[in-house]
Amino acid sequence: MSSQNTDRNVALSTGAETQLFVDDAMVSAKRGVVRTLHPGKKLERPVLLPDRPWEGGRVYIYGTVHYDADAQQFRMWYLTRIGRGHQHRTPGLRERQGDMILYATSTDGIHWEKPELGLHEFDGSRANNILIFDKHSPTVIVDEAADPSERYKMAAWDWSRDQFGYWVAHSADGLVWNAYDVNPILMNSTETLEAITVAHDRRAGEYFAYHRRWGDIGGFDRRLIAVCTSRNFLDWSEPELIIVSDEQDDAWTQDPEQRGEFYGMSGFVYGDQFLGFLPVFNVYRDMRGQEVGVEQSPWDGPIEAQLAHSRDGRRWERFADRSAIIPRGGPGSFDAGCILCSADRPVVHGDEVWHYYTAINTLHGGPMPPKTATIARASWRLDGFVSFDAGHFGGTVETVPLNLPPGQLVVNADASQGSLAVELLSHEGETVPGYSSQDCRAIGSDSVRHVIRWKDNQRLPADQPLRLRFHLDTAQLYSFRVKTTEHE
């Protein structure tokens, strides 16, 4: 993974991974372009509803969706909170919240089945999809290089111990889980942390646990985002706060008790960097210590997801205008109130990116009913979170010097209403002979995989640092990468 470039004239070494334009780490100059955030496109209705007695009227994608290519099947580990007073219906369920990890499968990512796993009883029957009791916010890592007994790894919040902390486990099939003997990890005796997602940076051989911590910001005890890291999934570093509220998060407030904070973060590796979906909670009212409904939260307000980004998994920034990457729906819609949380990472499927999120029709503190929690899906074109856009006056984007692998340059761009050409420059900024914008066979269509060609050249020149200068005319530029083999 490329590191943050502090000297814009020092060549960055990149691999064949996708290079996004979410930030300026790869950019040395730009003219006549604007950086645009693209909110996800939503389906008209949720993909998974709480339609089983043990789901308590609500389901959450505090969890993972993984595409199993061998089985040609999507697998979902998700959460329900059946609520208080149901322990007698489910032997083994201990904690009052009634949190349970459940399992579903799909062939198309839209229509989901809840298989009868036979692992636990509910109302005297094992015909249900219950996996694990008293755990919250499961991340499932699929590690193809691990011992077969540890191919699946899970991290989750553990309600079942006297000492709060997270729980880690392993599985051969993703269904039957065995706890590691180090539990609990990332302990805390005073805070209910709950939300956690884990990213696996395979190239660096490191795990990043993004989780909720509480801290005093501006005189309020707020939910903030911290990270811990590990090389082996068992021994973790001390928590480090990475995203905290600032004045902009409170700019909307009209009452001294109102504030902005974060409900958690789904942080994940995408291409040559990290991205994060950050649920920003505008707390309208804090009713702690006052009477609220039995199944009602004392915190009230809307939540929607913003985009965050990092080059190393530790130093994070939020997208400049802080607009929603997954916005709330309109009045009366299934996600009108909250984009509560989302899967630990998206699924790249064909030419699209799918991300599953928890949709709530009311504000966070709404009573049940009418409050419902369902699982929905947002999608983007491949790499389609952010683009550089130019109008008919044209624009250019020039990268810093890059040490690129040998191969063909592949660009994700929509030039269907105009054109896009690529010019190669030397480290010093001079046009490489045979690779000018006039030599380039300009693109005039929309594709996530344009292969860039010049008159006499189809591959990048080898063994020299290069700057890429993109010439855009009424076009959108999303990403680039180097195709290193003919069979990609």
Side-chain angles (χ1 to χ4, degrees):
M1 189 166 292
S2 57
S3 59
Q4 193 77 28
N5 188 25
T6 55
D7 185 341
R8 312 302 282 179
N9 292 314
V10 174
L12 288 179
S13 294
T14 70
E17 293 78 21
T18 298
Q19 307 294 333
L20 302 179
F21 291 106
V22 175
D23 60 16
D24 280 339
M26 292 282 171
V27 178
S28 67
K30 52 185 183 287
R31 179 187 60 81
V33 296
V34 294
R35 183 180 274 119
T36 302
L37 182 84
H38 298 278
K41 296 179 180 178
K42 303 177 185 178
L43 298 174
E44 293 183 355
R45 55 184 60 88
V47 299
L48 196 136
L49 301 173
D51 55 7
R52 301 292 192 272
W54 54 88
E55 288 176 328
R58 48 187 164 176
V59 289
Y60 309 85
I61 189 63
Y62 284 106
T64 295
V65 177
H66 169 69
Y67 182 68
D68 187 329
D70 293 336
Q72 296 186 341
Q73 180 185 73
F74 295 90
R75 308 180 71 185
M76 178 189 289
W77 293 264
Y78 67 105
L79 181 76
T80 188
R81 174 167 286 180
I82 192 173
R84 303 176 183 181
H86 294 280
Q87 285 80 0
H88 65 285
R89 305 176 70 183
T90 311
L93 182 67
R94 295 191 290 172
E95 292 303 306
R96 65 175 186 168
Q97 287 86 355
D99 285 2
M100 297 187 291
I101 298 172
L102 309 180
Y103 178 74
T105 62
S106 174
T107 57
D108 63 4
I110 298 176
H111 304 93
W112 291 84
E113 298 180 358
K114 301 172 182 179
E116 297 177 357
L117 301 176
L119 297 175
H120 302 284
E121 286 189 14
F122 185 87
D123 285 348
S125 171
R126 290 181 176 266
N128 59 65
N129 64 333
I130 300 172
L131 278 184
I132 302 172
F133 295 136
D134 301 320
K135 304 294 185 291
H136 184 285
S137 190
T139 286
V140 175
I141 300 289
V142 184
D143 188 352
E144 305 288 357
D147 183 277
S149 67
E150 299 185 18
R151 182 170 183 256
Y152 297 85
K153 295 179 174 67
M154 180 187 289
W157 175 254
D158 189 355
W159 285 112
S160 65
R161 293 175 178 266
D162 294 334
Q163 188 172 24
F164 283 169
Y166 293 103
W167 177 83
V168 288
H170 60 91
S171 172
D173 60 4
L175 300 177
V176 178
W177 292 87
N178 301 286
Y180 287 107
D181 59 10
V182 299
N183 289 303
I185 63 167
L186 312 187
M187 294 178 291
N188 190 289
S189 59
T190 61
E191 301 173 9
T192 301
L193 308 179
E194 286 189 318
I196 185 173
T197 65
V198 179
H200 188 194
D201 184 357
R202 288 174 172 81
R203 284 174 293 164
E206 196 167 16
Y207 297 94
F208 293 77
Y210 299 106
H211 61 287
R212 183 191 299 168
R213 291 271 163 173
W214 292 77
D216 188 328
I217 302 293
F220 291 109
D221 193 26
R222 311 188 196 214
R223 300 170 176 91
L224 311 172
I225 306 301
V227 67
C228 298
T229 61
S230 175
R231 291 282 178 181
N232 59 8
F233 205 69
L234 305 178
D235 303 302
W236 294 85
S237 66
E238 289 297 311
E240 176 186 354
L241 286 178
I242 54 172
I243 303 180
V244 301
S245 304
D246 59 22
E247 292 182 357
Q248 191 172 341
D249 291 308
D250 292 345
W252 60 272
T253 62
Q254 298 179 344
D255 185 287
E257 297 301 313
Q258 295 177 337
R259 61 189 181 273
E261 55 187 49
F262 314 119
Y263 216 69
M265 185 177 75
S266 299
F268 51 91
V269 176
Y270 191 99
D272 202 30
Q273 66 182 107
F274 289 77
L275 297 179
F277 289 93
L278 181 71
V280 179
F281 187 8
N282 288 345
V283 181
Y284 286 177
R285 291 186 302 167
D286 187 341
M287 302 288 287
R288 283 179 293 179
Q290 303 179 45
E291 186 175 344
V292 296
V294 174
E295 294 296 340
Q296 190 173 358
S297 170
W299 296 277
D300 200 19
I303 304 174
E304 57 187 2
Q306 295 181 8
L307 182 66
H309 52 90
S310 172
R311 287 285 163 174
D312 61 5
R314 294 172 172 84
R315 294 170 292 176
W316 286 81
E317 298 178 18
R318 295 158 68 183
F319 191 77
D321 67 4
R322 299 195 184 179
S323 56
I325 189 73
I326 307 179
R328 295 182 294 132
S333 64
F334 64 89
D335 59 358
C338 296
I339 310 299
L340 183 76
C341 57
S342 62
D344 65 288
R345 58 188 181 273
V347 177
V348 176
H349 192 69
D351 291 348
E352 291 189 329
V353 179
W354 298 348
H355 197 58
Y356 294 84
Y357 67 94
T358 301
I360 294 181
N361 61 330
T362 70
L363 300 184
H364 183 268
M368 296 184 64
K371 181 180 182 179
T372 61
T374 59
I375 296 174
R377 197 188 79 183
S379 65
W380 296 259
R381 68 183 284 148
L382 187 69
D383 310 338
F385 307 113
V386 173
S387 65
F388 271 131
D389 302 351
H392 65 275
F393 289 110
T396 59
V397 178
E398 183 180 314
T399 71
V400 299
L402 302 172
N403 289 316
L404 298 167
Q408 293 180 312
L409 181 64
V410 178
V411 172
N412 183 338
D414 182 357
S416 57
Q417 303 301 311
S419 65
L420 183 146
V422 183
E423 178 181 6
L424 299 188
L425 310 176
S426 68
H427 185 287
E428 292 73 24
E430 299 176 352
T431 301
V432 177
Y435 291 91
S436 69
S437 58
Q438 291 74 31
D439 293 320
C440 183
R441 300 176 185 177
I443 295 167
S445 59
D446 182 7
S447 174
V448 299
R449 297 182 183 86
H450 293 288
V451 178
I452 304 300
R453 295 178 173 87
W454 295 264
K455 287 181 180 178
D456 299 318
N457 301 287
Q458 296 190 15
R459 297 176 67 82
L460 296 170
D463 302 324
Q464 59 177 300
L466 298 169
R467 297 176 185 260
L468 310 180
R469 181 181 287 165
F470 298 90
H471 295 262
L472 290 76
D473 179 358
T474 318
Q476 295 178 306
L477 171 64
Y478 291 91
S479 66
F480 70 92
R481 66 182 180 92
V482 176
K483 180 181 176 183
T484 57
T485 71
E486 297 299 323
H487 303 292
E488 285 189 57

